[in-house]
Amino acid sequence: MPWESHFGFSQALQAGETLYISGQLSHDEAGAFVGADDFELQVRTTFANLDKVLRQFGASRDQVVETTALIVDLRRNFEVLARLHAEYFAEHRPTSTVMGVVALVLPEQLVEIGAVVRLDLEA
């Protein structure tokens, strides 16, 4: 994404058999934000972007061991996030931390989700 070099970070970094994935957000292939004022669409697009990063490393959702979600207006949006998180991971149950925040980087951004992945787990 264009903002990686601007802010000096990577979408993901592999250290041994552990993959650290930066907070993903709701954007298209060109980096344009998707889903203003639509929390569910933002979460679904964020998880789709997480899938893209996983694929780049030959990893799958079943290898995710931890997620961290930052949410604007936590009380209003938590139940939607919880439902979509459970849907995304199905029977797999990674650890998860959810934090309410006042704002995220983009003015319309309501959610950001990062992950830690163990590549040595069976996919």
Side-chain angles (χ1 to χ4, degrees):
M1 288 292 100
W3 50 81
E4 287 179 60
S5 60
H6 180 72
F7 289 105
F9 75 97
S10 298
Q11 288 293 308
L13 179 68
Q14 184 175 343
E17 293 298 320
T18 304
L19 178 63
Y20 299 90
I21 300 178
S22 291
Q24 298 297 299
L25 58 119
S26 184
H27 61 80
D28 62 18
E29 292 293 325
F33 188 76
V34 173
D37 299 320
D38 188 336
F39 184 76
E40 184 163 339
L41 177 59
Q42 286 189 33
V43 173
R44 289 187 182 282
T45 306
T46 297
F47 277 133
N49 288 333
L50 179 58
D51 279 338
K52 291 174 188 173
V53 176
L54 289 169
R55 279 193 301 273
Q56 288 179 332
F57 288 86
S60 75
R61 297 173 187 181
D62 290 338
Q63 293 170 297
V64 174
V65 295
E66 177 182 41
T67 61
T68 301
L70 307 176
I71 303 175
V72 174
D73 200 352
L74 178 64
R75 300 279 182 256
R76 183 168 54 114
N77 293 317
F78 177 75
E79 289 302 322
V80 173
L81 176 72
R83 175 175 51 85
L84 296 175
H85 191 275
E87 177 185 299
Y88 178 80
F89 285 104
E91 296 302 313
H92 180 61
R93 296 285 187 251
T95 65
S96 183
T97 300
V98 178
M99 292 176 270
V101 298
V102 173
L104 292 163
V105 173
L106 303 175
E108 297 170 324
Q109 184 182 356
L110 300 173
V111 64
E112 185 168 317
I113 302 172
V116 176
V117 180
R118 287 296 305 191
L119 299 170
D120 55 344
L121 294 178
E122 230 178 271

